[in-house]
Amino acid sequence: MARIIVITSGKGGVGKTTTAAALAMGLAQRGKRTVVIDFDVGLRNLDLIMGCERRVVYDFVNVINQEANLNQALIRDKRCDHLYVLPASQTRDKDALTKEGVGRILEELSQIYDFIVCDSPAGIEHGATMAMYFADDAVVVTNPEVSSVRDSDRMLGILSSKSRRAETNDEPIREFLLLTRYDPARVESGEMLSVDDVQDILSLNLLGIIPESKAVLTASNSGSPVILDRESDAGQAYGDMVARYLGEEVPHRFLHTEKKGFLSRLFRG
Amino acid sequence: MGDSRIETARDQGRPTPESNIMAVNSPNKVADASQGFELKAASFTLPIIRLVDSDIDAVAVRLGAKVEQAPDFFHNTPVVIDLSGFPSDAGTVGLPLLVGLLRGYGMIPFGVRGGNQEQNAAAEALELAILRDSYVRAGKSAAKANPHESDAGTELDAEPLQPRSAGISKGEPPTRRASTGSMVVARPVRSGQRVYAAGGDLSIVAAVSSGAELMADGNIHVYGPLRGRALAGMSGNLEARIFCQDLQAELVSIAGHYRVSENIPAEMRGFPVQIFLDQKILRIEKL
């Protein structure tokens, strides 16, 4: 049975799709059979971030409507054999997602894959609730600013009341916090909420802190998940996140501004 | 668009408040000096607040503006809440807030009319009188019988005030839910979530986020930061209290007497406190 992970936030633009792509790629690189599904029907982006936009023939909605079978719609990643992408439809709207249809597809995928990563659209409407309904785990992506924190809080409330696990009185969804676009310099100068400030409100299992990084935009534009950029701090932070998700103990990095090292001071002087 | 309409007979430019009081004579009068009291019926002309929108926040804004124009007029004024224009699917949650709002402006809301069954039950829980049509008719016929009042032409907007016959004749207290509905919540109460302990106490052993709403007919205990709203004594229990370890609430209310965050003293914020009613004044005290 696959583990179904939803990447959610409530607020838009916080890094859900970037995170979904990185998590899926990270799991696949560790040999886990992984599929990542774009639930943002009508505003699909995951295919771009994954760099497979020119290979989309059939999509999620086609499979729900049984106009295509799963194998026709799944796109195999060229960089990693264990990773598949199920793109969203760009021409339909989110009402095309039905609980029965989504459930059937997730059930079918569960037979084959180890992990199913669901990239949720922003908001708390139908698309987002469909993405989280069947989840076993939830990664709540949050930026260190008040509106994002409040929206995440709201989303956590919905997760605990409107999911399949809540409705069947099953063990609740495991919730993780991923703090993205973290800028230690701005935190230190008091302009940005710190990890502690955010945790004070959300008090969740902290899966990772992704520093604000130019590498993320570059990676998105080139269609290569940022986790593949092992040189960048964001890529490394996403690598740590995947390790933590799989149960490894990894200390949190990128929490503080780089101290000027002895050598750099020597050379500057 | 949120709207509340204040309809009142006094708007008609009557000279004195006395003229608004209509004494109804003997038929309804049960005088018995030997029992130490007289039971009689009387009609009063009162302002009615007719709600036409369920958006209490919008109503609050409009009401605030209205009261601003004539603060003395509303001070200690008994008012009736007319729910007939209120969307019937809007539920009853707004009623305690509205009552608190009116009390906050110095008005004395004491009854409702035109509500559906659910709204009447909520009103009853708040110890408001349910003014049924029979009272209205009685008031109208009384007005016709009174030559001094017959030309007023304002009966539609006036609500006669009479004792609740049911309560008196049967000698029974108003029905109350049994106080067994206590609840303990061990998970954080998130923004947008609403927890109601009907008929009992509510204990939260976690944080309550801003945007969350706690309601209880009894006391509320929060063992963690309280950042949302807490409304204790929902069914009008003036003895209900709120206890919390870390007060950062957006709103606290006991039996409809409420304070918003802005009016909570800064020196209380972040401290363990208890909140209770003292002579109907909401008090916040450090523990």
Side-chain angles (χ1 to χ4, degrees):
Chain A
M1 269 309 267
R3 198 99 192 144
I4 302 172
I5 312 163
V6 61
I7 314 294
T8 186
S9 70
K11 195 172 186 299
V14 295
K16 283 183 296 297
T17 303
T18 302
T19 301
L23 177 60
M25 180 61 83
L27 290 168
Q29 281 184 323
R30 286 163 173 263
K32 312 287 184 195
R33 287 164 299 173
T34 306
V35 57
V36 55
I37 307 176
D38 192 349
F39 273 78
D40 206 346
V41 176
L43 285 169
R44 76 165 187 230
N45 280 150
L46 183 69
D47 53 329
L48 287 168
I49 309 284
M50 296 297 297
C52 64
E53 74 278 9
R54 280 180 287 183
R55 297 159 63 205
V56 176
V57 183
Y58 293 107
D59 58 52
F60 194 19
V61 173
N62 292 139
V63 185
I64 286 178
N65 295 341
Q66 299 184 318
E67 296 152 3
N69 65 39
L70 259 175
N71 290 331
Q72 288 174 301
L74 285 169
I75 303 170
R76 184 189 196 148
D77 191 86
K78 284 184 170 168
R79 292 152 296 209
C80 186
D81 287 348
H82 297 293
L83 181 59
Y84 287 81
V85 180
L86 183 54
S89 170
Q90 184 71 339
T91 51
R92 308 293 288 271
D93 64 33
K94 292 177 177 67
D95 294 333
L97 300 175
T98 60
K99 201 179 268 185
E100 297 71 32
V102 173
R104 183 170 50 80
I105 291 171
L106 291 179
E107 179 59 33
E108 210 173 313
L109 289 169
S110 288
Q111 310 298 327
I112 312 161
Y113 293 91
D114 299 318
F115 290 101
I116 301 170
V117 179
C118 302
D119 180 23
S120 169
I124 53 173
E125 277 76 44
H126 185 69
T129 48
M130 280 298 109
M132 53 136 251
Y133 184 76
F134 296 95
D136 301 308
D137 297 330
V139 176
V140 180
V141 183
T142 307
N143 287 168
E145 49 112 0
V146 284
S147 59
S148 176
V149 172
R150 173 179 281 188
D151 290 359
S152 295
D153 193 49
R154 178 92 172 90
M155 202 66 221
L156 285 160
I158 295 171
L159 279 169
S160 63
S161 59
K162 287 193 182 155
S163 62
R164 179 175 60 175
R165 280 171 175 270
E167 283 177 9
T168 58
N169 262 333
D170 211 346
E171 197 182 311
I173 295 176
R174 287 198 301 170
E175 301 156 344
F176 300 98
L177 173 66
L178 183 76
L179 213 50
T180 55
R181 310 199 65 165
Y182 197 75
D183 187 339
R186 297 192 70 188
V187 171
E188 273 161 38
S189 65
E191 294 168 40
M192 191 179 261
L193 296 180
S194 70
V195 184
D196 293 338
D197 294 335
V198 176
Q199 280 292 56
D200 194 36
I201 294 167
L202 298 179
S203 51
L204 287 179
N205 193 342
L206 183 62
L207 198 58
I209 298 151
I210 312 298
E212 174 79 64
S213 169
K214 288 178 181 165
V216 174
L217 186 62
T218 316
S220 297
N221 287 339
S222 62
S224 159
V226 68
I227 195 169
L228 294 173
D229 182 358
R230 301 302 295 178
E231 302 296 308
S232 70
D233 46 1
Q236 291 174 29
Y238 272 119
D240 290 358
M241 171 194 80
V242 174
R244 273 186 217 106
Y245 177 75
L246 292 172
E248 292 171 32
E249 292 272 341
V250 184
H252 289 287
R253 294 191 278 170
F254 315 110
L255 275 172
H256 303 286
T257 41
E258 291 289 315
K259 291 277 186 299
K260 284 278 187 295
F262 171 72
L263 280 177
S264 64
R265 259 184 291 172
L266 196 73
F267 285 116
R268 187 158 300 181
Chain B
M1 177 57 211
D3 197 8
S4 70
R5 221 170 295 156
I6 301 178
E7 301 169 343
T8 168
R10 295 180 194 182
D11 279 342
Q12 309 298 320
R14 304 254 193 95
T16 58
E18 281 80 10
S19 68
N20 292 334
I21 301 168
M22 303 173 287
V24 179
N25 289 322
S26 40
N28 292 337
K29 183 171 163 184
V30 187
D32 189 347
S34 67
Q35 287 181 11
F37 66 88
E38 270 188 313
L39 190 59
K40 46 200 265 190
S43 301
F44 300 89
T45 302
L46 296 161
I48 289 176
I49 295 206
R50 206 168 95 84
L51 281 184
V52 292
D53 196 318
S54 59
D55 185 353
I56 293 294
D57 293 333
V59 171
V61 172
R62 304 262 305 185
L63 201 56
K66 196 96 182 170
V67 172
E68 206 86 320
Q69 292 169 1
D72 289 343
F73 178 82
F74 292 101
H75 190 67
N76 280 342
T77 304
V79 292
V80 173
I81 301 165
D82 185 344
L83 297 169
S84 57
F86 199 60
S88 59
D89 56 347
T92 58
V93 181
L95 200 55
L97 289 176
L98 180 73
V99 168
L101 192 70
L102 295 175
R103 285 189 183 140
Y105 285 124
M107 290 179 240
I108 306 170
F110 72 91
V112 299
R113 77 164 186 192
N116 60 26
Q117 204 172 0
E118 191 192 358
Q119 289 162 339
N120 283 348
E124 219 155 41
L126 289 165
E127 301 197 323
L128 296 179
I130 314 294
L131 300 158
R132 297 202 168 79
D133 286 346
S134 56
Y135 298 143
V136 180
R137 275 197 298 276
K140 279 178 186 167
S141 55
K144 278 179 193 136
N146 190 327
H148 300 295
E149 291 296 321
S150 58
D151 58 347
T154 54
E155 279 303 315
L156 271 178
D157 299 337
E159 198 66 73
L161 170 61
Q162 291 193 352
R164 271 178 60 180
S165 55
I168 286 175
S169 62
K170 289 178 195 161
E172 282 169 4
T175 40
R176 277 280 179 85
R177 271 167 290 196
S179 52
T180 51
S182 291
M183 264 174 92
V184 178
V185 177
R187 284 175 67 92
V189 186
R190 304 289 184 181
S191 185
Q193 288 186 315
R194 191 178 254 181
V195 186
Y196 181 27
D201 285 9
L202 176 60
S203 307
I204 311 285
V205 199
V208 178
S209 294
S210 91
E213 205 164 280
L214 306 181
M215 293 175 284
D217 288 339
N219 304 319
I220 294 177
H221 309 257
V222 182
Y223 302 95
L226 168 59
R227 300 193 176 95
R229 299 169 160 223
L231 299 95
M234 285 289 282
S235 54
N237 178 6
L238 300 172
E239 301 297 313
R241 293 185 177 210
I242 298 168
F243 304 87
C244 66
Q245 274 193 327
D246 179 356
L247 177 70
Q248 301 177 38
E250 291 170 338
L251 179 146
V252 290
S253 159
I254 289 172
H257 299 259
Y258 76 102
R259 268 202 220 185
V260 292
S261 163
E262 216 174 55
N263 301 331
I264 294 173
E267 62 267 26
M268 297 294 176
R269 299 191 75 84
F271 285 93
V273 299
Q274 63 164 327
I275 300 160
F276 56 97
L277 281 181
D278 181 12
Q279 310 287 327
K280 298 207 169 179
I281 293 166
L282 196 72
R283 291 191 49 177
I284 304 176
E285 225 170 56
K286 277 186 199 173
L287 287 171

